């Protein structure tokens, strides 16, 4: 079970995690990246990097200085510029944004005031905003989410590489005993009511009773997806929904994003480098329509969100739902998270991160598309603002689960829910299949 730390320990954790997130943000907006590219827009789907940088500081000021600490607004005149709901991404380059130097100075000043005011804010109150440090966890997660968005922007860049592969850990590779795992019929608790930093769309915990089903032991690999391509999967309307077939015809896509066929070899562009597609890594940069078509071609389907979560969290021995597939505490070395690598790992790694059912890589490597539309759970209550979740509810969005190699451990857990349009491919998305018993 989750054990609440003391208030002093929680404040030390908050200060450390705020610093860690900021180091990551600055690392993605400095270094070898040419200065003009901070203000340029590489795609209408993405903001200029300098917008993301100032936005995380403005969000931090709104919630940690004004709302939590009651401090007078520092730069109220820029609130509109960095309100994600006032200006769509495509028009943000036209706004009078802060320069890179001014953005860094602004977010540094905000951070200094946040750390100073942290000593005076109480976490042991009845205010749901500050109780358990919720609003601080929300801000830390928000910055890490934008860091992942900035990584997607880097991937869309066409210039010289600005991010370098670091030496990765030596990962043991163990054989995957079976291609799929049986999850027996029965109830489990989906979502959470007591995770202090969980978002509103993860709440409340509620019992869901599922029939038995099979789910893939690991995400679909590049090699498996290549067989779908070679079998004419993109040219056979049997495998596509009507909307998916329309997308396929209008987009002209015939492979995952960033893939190119050179002779007889598939290569991919990854952060400015062109390399052969690694056959045993999880496929990524596929949209929901592609994932759904592959699953139909394979004689399977995408798992529902509930099926994904039961396979990830339920412990049949205790009847409890874990925070992570392996248990309630985060442990290093059990998942590919946190930008330690700039790609998924090969099949057979992270055996120690398997769930109670033996399903692997449910956390990390790639976001996994599910078949479920994004809605609130029974008893959902919007908190602390509707624009985080509620305004996105509807059939236009599909749920993704599990996080990717680019997701920070603090910004994902077994109950965490992501969502996006079914056409999106710039995100680090893959999938696994399921089938009914």
């Amino acid at each position: 079970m989750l054990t609440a730390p003391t208030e002093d320990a929680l404040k030390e954790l908050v200060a450390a995690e705020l610093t860690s997130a900021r180091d990551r943000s600055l690392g993605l907006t400095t270094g070898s990246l040419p200065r003009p590219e901070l203000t340029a827009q590489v795609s209408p789907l993405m903001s200029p990097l300098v917008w993301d940088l100032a936005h995380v500081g403005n969000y931090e000021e709104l919630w940690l200085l004004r709302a939590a600490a009651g401090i007078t607004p520092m730069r109220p005149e820029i609130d509109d510029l960095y309100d994600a709901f006032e200006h769509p991404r495509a028009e943000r380059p036209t706004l009078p944004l802060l320069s890179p130097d001014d953005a860094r100075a602004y977010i540094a000043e905000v951070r200094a005031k946040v750390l100073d005011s942290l000593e005076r804010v109480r976490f042991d109150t009845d205010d749901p905003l500050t109780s358990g440090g919720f609003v601080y966890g929300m801000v830390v997660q928000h910055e890490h989410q934008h860091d992942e968005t900035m990584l997607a922007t880097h991937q869309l860049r066409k210039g010289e590489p600005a991010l370098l592969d670091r030496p990765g850990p030596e990962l043991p590779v163990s054989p995957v005993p079976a291609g799929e795992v049986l999850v027996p019929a029965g109830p489990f608790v989906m979502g959470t009511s007591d995770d202090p930093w969980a978002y509103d769309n993860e709440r409340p915990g509620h019992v869901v009773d599922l029939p038995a089903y099979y789910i893939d032991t690991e995400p679909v690999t590049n090699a498996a997806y290549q067989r779908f391509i070679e079998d004419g999967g993109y040219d056979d309307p049997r495998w596509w929904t009507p909307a998916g077939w329309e997308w396929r015809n209008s987009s002209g896509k015939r492979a995952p994003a960033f893939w190119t066929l050179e002779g007889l070899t598939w290569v991919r562009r990854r952060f400015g480098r062109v390399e052969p597609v690694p056959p045993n890594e999880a496929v990524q940069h596929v949209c929901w329509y592609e994932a759904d078509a592959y699953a139909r071609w394979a004689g399977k389907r995408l798992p529902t969100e509930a099926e994904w979560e039961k396979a990830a969290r339920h412990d049949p021995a205790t009847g409890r739902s874990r925070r992570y597939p392996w248990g309630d505490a985060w442990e290093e070395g059990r998942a590919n998270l946190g930008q330690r690598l700039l790609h998924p790992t090969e099949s057979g790694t992270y055996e120690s991160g398997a769930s109670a059912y033996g399903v692997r890589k449910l956390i990390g490597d790639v976001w996994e598309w599910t078949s479920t539309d994004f809605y609130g759970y029974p008893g959902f209550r919007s908190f602390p603002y509707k624009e985080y979740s509620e305004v996105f509810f509807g059939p236009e969005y599909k749920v993704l689960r599990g996080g990717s190699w680019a997701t920070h451990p603090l910004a994902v857990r077994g109950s965490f829910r992501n969502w996006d349009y079914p056409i999106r491919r710039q995100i680090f998305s893959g999938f696994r299949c399921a089938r009914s018993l």
Side-chain angles (χ1 to χ4, degrees):
M1 298 291 290
L2 295 173
T3 302
T6 65
E7 180 157 314
D8 286 344
L10 186 55
K11 287 184 176 181
E12 290 180 7
L13 173 67
V14 163
E17 294 300 341
L18 284 168
T19 300
S20 175
R22 183 56 44 81
D23 289 344
R24 188 182 181 199
S25 299
L26 293 174
L28 290 167
T29 52
T30 54
S32 60
L33 188 69
R35 182 182 177 88
E37 294 198 32
L38 289 174
T39 57
Q41 185 177 50
V42 301
S43 166
L45 297 174
M46 313 304 293
S47 307
L49 289 169
V50 73
W51 185 93
D52 285 289
L53 186 64
H55 168 76
V56 296
N58 185 246
Y59 188 90
E60 184 173 338
E61 184 195 347
L62 290 172
W63 288 105
L64 300 190
L65 293 184
R66 302 184 200 178
I71 292 176
T72 302
M74 293 170 50
R75 300 285 299 273
E77 74 279 5
I78 68 172
D79 290 351
D80 176 78
L81 298 178
Y82 298 103
D83 186 332
F85 295 91
E86 287 294 325
H87 302 285
R89 290 176 175 177
E91 72 176 43
R92 289 172 190 170
T94 67
L95 302 174
L97 302 177
L98 297 180
S99 69
D101 289 342
D102 288 342
R104 293 189 192 100
Y106 167 62
I107 66 174
E109 185 179 0
V110 170
R111 176 56 54 81
K113 291 187 176 183
V114 165
L115 295 177
D116 179 65
S117 64
L118 181 59
E119 298 179 5
R120 301 188 297 274
V121 176
R122 297 294 301 274
F123 290 171
D124 57 348
T125 68
D126 294 330
D127 183 351
L129 195 64
T130 53
S131 177
F134 169 81
V135 71
Y136 289 84
M138 182 182 78
V139 167
V140 170
Q141 292 178 84
H142 173 264
E143 183 155 353
H144 279 304
Q145 288 162 358
H146 273 271
D147 290 341
E148 184 162 355
T149 299
M150 286 194 277
L151 278 167
T153 300
H154 275 274
Q155 172 62 13
L156 287 163
R157 289 179 58 247
K158 298 294 177 63
E160 291 297 312
L163 301 177
L164 301 178
D165 283 313
R166 293 177 292 179
E170 289 292 332
L171 298 174
V173 178
S174 60
V176 181
E180 58 185 8
V181 172
L182 173 65
V183 180
F188 81 106
V189 176
M190 185 173 184
T192 180
S193 296
D194 58 6
D195 192 312
W197 285 7
Y199 283 107
D200 56 5
N201 64 55
E202 300 172 62
R203 304 172 185 269
H206 58 290
V207 175
V208 176
D209 199 348
L210 294 176
Y213 61 97
Y214 287 95
I215 189 166
D216 287 357
T217 309
E218 289 201 351
V220 171
T221 64
N222 289 321
Y225 197 86
Q226 188 175 331
R227 290 193 289 272
F228 167 69
I229 298 173
E230 293 170 347
D231 195 46
Y234 278 87
D235 299 316
D236 193 333
R238 288 182 298 165
W239 314 131
W240 301 78
T241 64
W245 190 244
E246 181 182 351
W247 170 84
R248 173 267 188 207
N249 289 325
S250 62
S251 68
K253 305 302 183 186
R254 299 294 185 274
F258 311 111
W259 283 31
T260 305
L261 188 60
E262 293 188 355
L264 299 177
T265 302
W266 284 103
V267 298
R268 70 180 181 186
R269 182 171 58 80
R270 183 177 62 87
F271 297 108
R273 294 172 287 275
V274 176
E275 59 192 15
V277 171
N280 294 324
E281 286 184 9
V283 67
Q284 65 175 351
H285 298 303
V286 290
C287 72
W288 185 90
Y289 293 131
E290 292 168 296
D292 180 69
Y294 174 97
R296 294 168 188 264
W297 169 82
K300 300 183 179 184
R301 57 177 174 78
L302 294 179
T304 66
E305 182 183 13
E307 288 173 337
W308 187 97
E309 185 167 332
K310 183 177 182 180
R313 300 185 63 208
H314 183 242
D315 181 356
T318 64
R320 291 186 55 252
S321 288
R322 302 167 171 177
R323 194 168 195 254
Y324 300 102
W326 55 85
D328 289 327
W330 166 252
E331 298 178 33
E332 293 287 347
R334 292 188 184 267
N336 180 19
L337 290 168
Q339 199 185 322
R340 288 179 174 82
L341 301 173
L342 296 178
H343 55 83
T345 54
E346 66 177 283
S347 179
T349 55
Y350 293 110
E351 181 185 16
S352 66
S355 73
Y357 292 104
V359 187
R360 302 186 185 185
K361 297 188 175 184
L362 288 155
I363 296 290
D365 276 291
V366 290
W367 287 103
E368 298 185 18
W369 289 108
T370 72
S371 64
T372 302
D373 298 337
F374 185 51
Y375 284 100
Y377 292 151
F380 169 84
R381 296 183 63 184
S382 178
F383 179 79
Y385 58 104
K386 290 183 178 181
E387 289 79 8
Y388 181 74
S389 299
E390 189 173 354
V391 298
F392 298 101
F393 290 165
E396 298 87 357
Y397 295 92
K398 295 293 185 181
V399 174
L400 300 103
R401 288 303 205 104
S404 75
W405 60 263
T407 309
H408 192 271
L410 264 180
V412 73
R413 49 203 157 263
S415 60
F416 187 87
R417 308 173 74 199
N418 193 5
W419 64 94
D420 214 328
Y421 290 114
I423 63 172
R424 289 291 185 253
R425 308 202 313 164
Q426 84 277 14
I427 57 178
F428 304 105
S429 53
F431 64 100
R432 73 180 72 217
C433 299
R435 64 184 178 94
S436 303
L437 181 64

